[in-house]
Amino acid sequence: VTEKAVGESHGGDDATTTASSPDATSLWSDAELLRAVVYGSPLAIYVVGPSGLVELWNPAAERLFGWTADQAIGRRLPIVSDETSAEFDRLLALAFADQPFSDLERVRHRSDGSPVVVAISTVPLRDSKGAIRAVLGVAEDITDRRAAEEALVCQARQDSLTGLFARGYFLEVLEKQLLGDAATAALVMLDLDGFKDVNDRFGHHVGDEILTSFAQRLRSAVGERGDAGRLGGDEFVVLLRGVGENNTAEAGRALLSGIDRPIRAGGREFSIGVSAGIVHCRGSTRVEEVLRRADLALLEAKHSHPGTCRVFDQRMEDAAVERLLLETQLANAVARDEIVLHYQPIIDLATGAMTGVEALVRWEHPRLGLLPPARFVPLAESTGAIVELGLHVLRESCNQLRQWELEYPSAKQMVLSVNLSPRQMREPGLAGDVAAILVEAGVAASRLQLEVTEHMTATDEDEEALVRLGLLGVQLAIDDFGTGYSSLIALRRFPFSTLKIDRSFVAGLSSGWEDRAIIVATLSLSESLGLAVIAEGVETEVQLSMLRSLGCERAQGFLLGRPQPAEAISALLART
Ligand code: C2E
Ligand code: MG
Ligand code: MG
């Protein structure tokens, strides 16, 4: 029966069942099966006796370790070297004490001395009385698996394009540095100025070439003094070691001067500037903190001093925190009724009459007081809150205009100017919203003037938005004229009726001939194009009389009337 059961079984499970079934003879007695299993096994199998001598050594062990059974049997396990001998004795003793181990990963050596990584498991072998007589060892070659795993780890550590440290690995290295020795390290964040333009214009392969060359240069500039990594895109990071807190600025400057040269790519030469921010790591334990600080310093460099390295300053963080706070509060400012409008008179220079007002938004902040638009309009632009805010301004000011019209005869001809921001222009529903607000307020379209700046006429979308607004019958004005790059001729294709000369030219009127020349040219060109002109920022009598003598029709400025609450404008209207 046993013979038959064994002969018919193909898998190990069956063999085990046979072995454990009460009427089966023990496998130990079945020499043939035992030989088949042990000698056919793809895993290296050996048996070690209590004194550490090899009792069995299968062909897979011969193949894996290079020693033949003849060489191994009766000796101490040959794969154990002098260094691993003590450990082997300990593990063997444990196995004999019925504490076997499994998948223990070890480096062992072959007969030719070459290393092999193996996963070793042991099984105590008992005699019929249950006493542990020997220990079975099973070894699996995991060299390739290990190598593959290591290659993967290596790959994950390296940025595939530039060969610098990849983001995740760089952050690990940085964290180790912070936990170990933060007092001598500085973090630099670098960014190529205008890289996106080059990438868009010359294609990704040129962009990639630039990044690769830059990375190479960065690596050699850093040398042994630190580690360089790429966070993504054109953003690079360097961990500089051996930098004292007092040398932070110098270290950043030195690094930048070592890399700031033109880059050859795609057969051309690109002079791409590099901006950087640096922060000393002393006292920092958190990776995010140093990264954020270096990033703030980099942003500052990019905004106000491109091509330089800025050192992080606590004020940058405070400002960023405030920005974030304002950003969240701004989202509710309209709902909380904190948005206030002031109105600045626009004056006819010939008659002195107020021909209109410009609505200028303010934020009555519960803690910071009355904030000018410079403090929150750019913020609202970047978050998109300007869309809601802008419509609110438009609605409020149109209602106000209607109010004035009803109360004061002198307000019948008054034109209301409202500023539009670029983000609003990109809203597809803008013209519809404006029309609805005009109808609701009962204000004729011709009484509303929308002010946009020159750079808002750049794209086809902008052009379309302007044309649609023009079709509604509202007037369009170019605000801050002269601060952009467009020429008046180029602007002729848009339906503008008014041009506002930026206050910087008015400010320079009395001090030099240049600003005067620009104003003269603008006035004469406007006249020939049929555009009305408003001069902004008139502060002195001298400016006023010069503008008058140059033939400027209208102006606004502190001299003629500050931006003021609606009631103050009402008082003015009541007097005329
Ligand atoms: P802007 O449209 O050019 O408005 C004129 C700015 O010049 C106002 O600043 C005004 O207070 C200031 N100003 C007027 N006369 C003088 C003067 O004689 N001297 C000087 N130094 N300044 C004068 P404000 O109110 O701070 O507004 C700044 C800018 O914020 C505005 O420039 C406009 O671009 C933007 N803005 C204001 N309200 C809104 C709004 O409701 N929506 C949008 N999108 N932008 C707005
Ligand atoms: Mg304006
Ligand atoms: Mg302006």
Side-chain angles (χ1 to χ4, degrees), residues 341 344 358-362 372-374 377 381 386 389-390 393 418-422 424 451 453 479-480 500 502-503 536-539 543 556-559 561-563:
L341 292 184
Q344 184 173 35
E358 176 174 7
L360 294 161
V361 70
R362 273 98 184 89
V377 166
E381 269 277 324
I386 192 70
L389 184 68
V393 168
V418 176
N419 295 283
L420 273 191
S421 82
Q424 288 178 274
E451 300 187 358
T453 52
D479 205 351
D480 305 338
K500 299 184 78 170
D502 190 66
R503 68 162 180 266
E536 291 188 283
V538 180
E539 294 181 352
Q543 290 163 351
Q556 75 190 91
F558 292 170
L559 180 73
R562 293 206 167 237

Side-chain angles (χ1 to χ4, degrees), residues 213-489:
S213 312
F214 177 74
Q216 233 162 33
R217 192 176 292 171
L218 186 62
R219 192 177 2 210
S220 61
V222 173
E224 299 297 307
R225 296 179 297 129
D227 292 314
R230 176 170 172 238
L231 290 187
D234 63 337
E235 207 168 55
F236 295 86
V237 269
V238 172
L239 175 62
L240 284 179
R241 300 198 175 83
V243 180
E245 214 169 351
N246 294 333
N247 303 329
T248 313
E250 200 190 313
R253 226 177 295 126
L255 181 68
L256 214 55
S257 72
I259 50 182
D260 202 5
R261 270 168 287 130
I263 293 178
R264 281 204 72 78
R268 300 165 182 271
E269 193 145 281
F270 294 91
S271 5
I272 293 188
V274 185
S275 298
I278 186 168
V279 60
H280 199 274
C281 301
R282 177 188 288 279
S284 294
T285 49
R286 288 178 40 242
V287 167
E288 313 84 71
E289 182 181 84
V290 283
L291 279 178
R292 192 185 57 238
R293 291 179 168 180
D295 197 30
L296 284 171
L298 169 61
L299 276 178
E300 167 100 8
K302 275 191 104 66
H303 277 144
S304 21
H305 311 270
T308 66
C309 181
R310 294 271 113 187
V311 181
F312 168 76
D313 180 322
Q314 188 53 46
R315 272 170 309 186
M316 297 176 187
E317 202 157 60
D318 297 345
V321 167
E322 192 198 287
R323 263 201 307 277
L324 199 68
L325 197 70
L326 284 186
E327 207 175 286
T328 13
Q329 294 170 337
L330 188 57
N332 302 313
V334 171
R336 290 203 186 134
D337 214 13
E338 292 168 358
I339 297 302
V340 179
L341 292 184
H342 281 186
Y343 298 89
Q344 184 173 35
I346 296 171
I347 305 296
D348 183 321
L349 292 187
T351 65
M354 179 166 68
T355 62
V357 288
E358 176 174 7
L360 294 161
V361 70
R362 273 98 184 89
W363 178 8
E364 182 67 68
H365 189 278
R367 188 168 48 82
L368 300 170
L370 198 65
L371 299 180
R375 286 285 289 282
F376 63 93
V377 166
L379 209 67
E381 269 277 324
S382 68
T383 62
I386 192 70
V387 174
E388 189 203 346
L389 184 68
L391 289 179
H392 175 76
V393 168
L394 202 61
R395 196 174 293 118
E396 288 290 297
S397 56
C398 283
N399 287 337
Q400 182 62 62
L401 179 66
R402 178 69 185 146
Q403 202 64 36
W404 281 326
E405 276 182 4
L406 292 174
E407 283 178 44
Y408 308 101
S410 53
K412 289 267 184 295
Q413 306 301 320
M414 204 161 81
V415 171
L416 168 71
S417 287
V418 176
N419 295 283
L420 273 191
S421 82
R423 182 66 179 68
Q424 288 178 274
M425 298 264 291
R426 279 188 273 125
E427 283 293 300
L430 177 65
D433 289 341
V434 171
I437 286 173
L438 287 169
V439 169
E440 246 173 74
V443 166
S446 59
R447 307 288 301 284
L448 176 66
Q449 177 160 71
L450 295 175
E451 300 187 358
V452 301
T453 52
E454 284 167 77
H455 45 265
M456 284 157 64
T457 55
T459 70
D460 294 348
E461 274 170 302
D462 294 336
E463 181 170 352
E464 206 184 302
L466 283 172
V467 168
R468 274 202 220 159
L469 288 171
L471 287 176
L472 282 184
V474 302
Q475 302 183 45
L476 295 172
I478 312 169
D479 205 351
D480 305 338
F481 181 76
T483 57
Y485 302 103
S486 40
S487 72
L488 258 185
I489 303 296

Side-chain angles (χ1 to χ4, degrees), residues 504-574:
S504 57
F505 301 108
V506 175
L509 249 187
S510 46
S511 50
W513 59 270
E514 279 173 39
D515 288 330
R516 187 173 185 277
I518 289 171
I519 291 183
V520 169
T522 307
L523 283 171
S524 80
L525 205 52
S526 305
E527 194 180 353
S528 61
L529 294 174
L531 291 173
V533 173
I534 300 174
E536 291 188 283
V538 180
E539 294 181 352
T540 67
E541 291 290 351
V542 176
Q543 290 163 351
L544 183 63
S545 66
M546 284 181 87
L547 284 167
R548 233 187 229 128
S549 69
L550 291 175
C552 182
E553 306 149 353
R554 281 180 289 163
Q556 75 190 91
F558 292 170
L559 180 73
L560 303 164
R562 293 206 167 237
Q564 46 203 294
E567 307 78 65
I569 299 292
S570 302
L572 286 178
L573 288 170

